[in-house]
Amino acid sequence: MAATLFIDGKWRASSAGRIHEVRSPHDGSLVTTVDEASAADVEDAIDAARKSFDSGVFACWSWRERSELVGRIADLLERDAKLIAKKESDDTGKRLIEAEYDVADVVATFRHFAALGEKHDDHIVDVGLAHVTSRIVSEPIGVCSLIGPWNYPLLQIAWKVAPALVAGCSFILKPSELTPESAIHLMQLVEEAGTPLGVANLILGPGSVVGYALTTDPRIDMVSFTGGLSTGKTIMVGAAPTIKRLALELGGKNPHIIFADADLEAAIDNAVTGAFLHSGQVCSAGTRLIVERSVHDQVVSEIVRRAKEIRLGGPEDLSAETGPLISQSHFKSVENYVAKGVAEGARLLVGGVRANREDLVNGWYFLPTVFDGCTTDMYCVQEESFGPIMTVEVFDSEREAIALGNDTIFGLSGGVWSRDLEKAARVAAGLRHGTIWVNDYGPYRPAAEWGGYKQSGNGRELGSHGLSEYLEIKHIWTNNSPSKSGWFHDSSGGDVQ
Ligand code: NAP
């Protein structure tokens, strides 16, 4: 096995000799083994990142030079796209074709930040004094810990690595233990593209151990984290003593509102895709359907019909529409979630159990599930399952639709369907979520910001704000005509000779 930790520009094995097995969610087979970092490895990675940043070896590159580096990484990602997609689908169990789309999105992310960096300029502000030049400059924030989840492993870390590099930061990357292969490949490309030694470091290992060290160490200036709410809270507590900047991208329980006057065919189709794509393992999954009472029966019966027909299958199955859940423990948590929903009185219309097809029984396949008759006080309405589970609530007025959509601790995303665009715009304005789709559900583009309100997080990725997260803003005030301040009464009255 080749060494898989990248520290201070060198690939090396775990100093404790620890190895982690990556298993296929599709059939449980061994995909690969990777190194698991020891505390000493983490220490070395933080040290390397800190030293490289403090030496100014990368921060002194011009914006153009750093943008060109990120552009070169995009070229290399494009060159290796098929290989990376295969690794990604092996680790996640997702369809190969979906992983190929993800890698294309990763390339687009690197190109977006490269272009943004090319355009970046410091600027002068007018402070109303003719003798003063006030320059506002952006500088890299410093050493960043970049921690990602397993559902879109490479994409979620691309949203962090690309802007961190354009900004001139040094970083330590930690992908999910379940899905490390694409991050290892990315770091090979970051190295090949000519990133200075020590700027980019890769640590693999369990979040509760190595992730904890990466989020509490005083030498870390910023943590950019994508993952679950409870981990986000732990990180916030650990980062508090040293006032690290935090960009937290957490979970969601996303309302998908359908008015009776919507294009129902398109709305139903998008509701099915929004809830069940990637078996619901999508932070923005539209798992909370909120439908106007007069069309409830029609919409729900059609969703149930389609949910029954969703084709499950492994990465190479071209006819499959979705794949397995990521792991046994996640599978068990989804099973428990369904049991809770049934116990609290939600009406199970379809699914709720493991797929029993012979070719799927060795994997973590869970059938698309719909709960009707749901109310906001239910666990299954309020908590994220991160599985293929849709809950259905009804509303009678525009006001009620907005109130239901906001009755959640989360605020990541939501959708609204209506042919009345003024009404849809009012609802979009009323919803307290970071992204709202009107007459659509799910797409995003690197040019537009992504992030959550409320307990879905406090950061922004993509867009231009996704770069700002990695920058400190400095104001340099230059007095072009120096004079005495006039505050101190100097009894000598004399000037310094
Ligand atoms: P998770 O369990 O919170 O893990 C996320 C990452 O954090 C993993 O790399 C994990 O390491 C690490 N980690 C765990 N404990 C840690 C700690 N104490 N300190 C530092 N790092 C720690 O989340 P997940 O199950 O991977 O991902 C699913 C969640 O991510 C869902 O809630 C989903 O909504 C959210 N998500 C949000 C967005 C968004 O844009 N807002 C996007 C995608 C996913 P190990 O797993 O290797 O132990």
Side-chain angles (χ1 to χ4, degrees):
M1 181 190 100
T4 55
L5 306 179
F6 189 61
I7 299 171
D8 206 10
K10 292 181 199 67
W11 288 95
R12 62 189 230 191
S14 164
S15 63
R18 279 201 291 271
I19 298 293
H20 174 75
E21 290 187 344
V22 178
R23 300 232 154 234
S24 163
H26 165 59
D27 59 10
S29 61
L30 181 67
V31 174
T32 190
T33 50
V34 296
D35 289 288
E36 197 170 283
S38 66
D41 298 327
V42 178
E43 178 66 25
D44 288 351
I46 297 176
D47 205 43
R50 188 73 255 169
K51 283 195 178 126
S52 74
F53 185 76
D54 292 343
S55 74
V57 64
F58 188 46
C60 72
W61 285 26
S62 68
W63 280 87
R64 171 170 289 268
E65 287 170 324
R66 294 197 301 259
S67 298
E68 285 171 356
L69 171 76
V70 169
R72 285 198 295 281
I73 298 171
D75 295 340
L76 295 172
L77 283 160
E78 219 157 26
R79 181 195 71 190
D80 292 358
K82 283 220 172 305
L83 191 54
I84 299 171
K86 173 78 171 73
K87 292 179 180 180
E88 191 87 322
S89 90
D90 284 348
D91 285 7
T92 59
K94 70 169 66 173
R95 297 175 306 151
L96 187 54
I97 189 165
E98 234 173 276
E100 285 171 359
Y101 290 138
D102 292 350
V103 178
D105 286 351
V106 168
V107 173
T109 299
F110 275 80
R111 297 226 183 279
H112 163 72
F113 283 110
L116 206 59
E118 293 268 358
K119 284 189 292 207
H120 184 88
D121 219 351
D122 298 334
H123 62 284
I124 306 280
V125 290
D126 183 358
V127 291
L129 297 168
H131 61 287
V132 169
T133 306
S134 245
R135 181 181 288 278
I136 306 299
V137 299
S138 308
E139 297 179 345
I141 186 160
V143 176
C144 307
S145 290
L146 310 178
I147 302 178
W150 47 260
N151 63 333
Y152 289 88
L154 189 60
L155 189 60
Q156 295 299 334
I157 60 178
W159 293 8
K160 305 178 189 308
V161 169
L165 285 173
V166 168
C169 296
S170 293
F171 65 82
I172 305 107
L173 173 65
K174 195 211 96 60
S176 164
E177 271 220 295
L178 298 169
T179 55
E181 285 197 284
S182 55
I184 296 168
H185 199 114
L186 172 64
M187 292 301 274
Q188 288 163 353
L189 303 186
V190 166
E191 181 188 20
E192 186 180 342
T195 308
L197 299 188
V199 166
N201 302 274
L202 175 69
I203 281 293
L204 306 173
S208 53
V209 182
V210 304
Y212 180 77
L214 290 172
T215 53
T216 50
D217 191 288
R219 292 165 292 174
I220 302 293
D221 299 301
M222 176 196 180
V223 179
S224 177
F225 167 78
T226 301
L229 174 58
S230 78
T231 314
K233 287 181 184 176
T234 305
I235 288 175
M236 206 165 198
V237 171
T242 45
I243 316 290
K244 299 184 196 312
R245 183 177 297 173
L246 290 181
L248 301 176
E249 311 294 337
L250 309 176
K253 183 71 190 177
N254 310 294
H256 197 172
I257 298 171
I258 300 180
F259 281 91
D261 63 358
D263 173 343
L264 288 184
E265 175 50 36
I268 289 166
D269 177 72
N270 277 272
V272 170
T273 309
F276 301 124
L277 177 84
H278 196 14
S279 290
Q281 300 170 114
V282 182
C283 55
S284 55
T287 51
R288 189 175 170 199
L289 193 73
I290 300 176
V291 57
E292 194 158 5
R293 192 180 301 276
S294 59
V295 290
H296 164 272
D297 292 357
Q298 181 187 355
V299 168
V300 173
S301 65
E302 194 49 32
I303 286 176
V304 167
R305 184 185 72 73
R306 294 177 194 202
K308 284 181 189 158
E309 287 185 13
I310 292 171
R311 293 188 300 260
L312 278 67
E316 313 272 343
D317 179 349
L318 291 179
S319 71
E321 282 153 334
T322 192
L325 298 177
I326 188 71
S327 64
Q328 180 177 25
S329 79
H330 187 46
F331 183 91
K332 290 228 167 301
S333 99
V334 169
E335 266 187 339
N336 288 340
Y337 187 97
V338 170
K340 264 190 186 159
V342 171
E344 63 191 345
R347 226 171 23 256
L348 182 63
L349 299 183
V350 64
V353 289
R354 183 179 203 138
N356 62 7
R357 231 173 60 203
E358 204 180 326
D359 57 325
L360 303 182
V361 289
N362 290 328
W364 304 116
Y365 288 89
F366 202 88
L367 291 180
T369 300
V370 179
F371 273 130
D372 197 9
C374 298
T375 49
T376 53
D377 54 336
M378 290 179 172
Y379 178 88
C380 65
V381 170
Q382 291 298 335
E383 296 295 327
E384 184 187 42
S385 71
F386 221 49
I389 300 169
M390 175 192 279
T391 59
V392 185
E393 296 155 81
V394 289
F395 69 90
D396 292 300
S397 69
E398 180 181 325
R399 215 174 146 152
E400 192 188 2
I402 296 172
L404 286 172
N406 285 335
D407 189 354
T408 164
I409 59 166
F410 294 108
L412 188 58
S413 63
V416 50
W417 287 83
S418 169
R419 284 196 169 91
D420 177 346
L421 291 183
E422 283 182 18
K423 177 167 70 179
R426 284 193 302 273
V427 175
L431 289 173
R432 302 276 302 155
H433 296 262
T435 296
I436 302 296
W437 292 285
V438 174
N439 294 332
D440 210 335
Y441 199 90
Y444 74 92
R445 286 289 179 274
E449 273 72 5
W450 178 261
Y453 283 29
K454 302 197 276 184
Q455 293 186 40
S456 286
N458 59 5
R460 285 295 176 274
E461 298 198 292
L462 303 178
S464 59
H465 290 82
L467 176 59
S468 305
E469 296 282 2
Y470 296 86
L471 296 172
E472 286 284 19
I473 305 300
K474 182 180 279 176
H475 171 200
I476 302 176
W477 168 295
T478 304
N479 188 333
N480 301 307
S481 176
S483 62
K484 287 182 164 185
S485 72
W487 173 74
F488 175 61
H489 171 73
D490 186 350
S491 59
S492 79
D495 288 338
V496 176
Q497 294 306 308

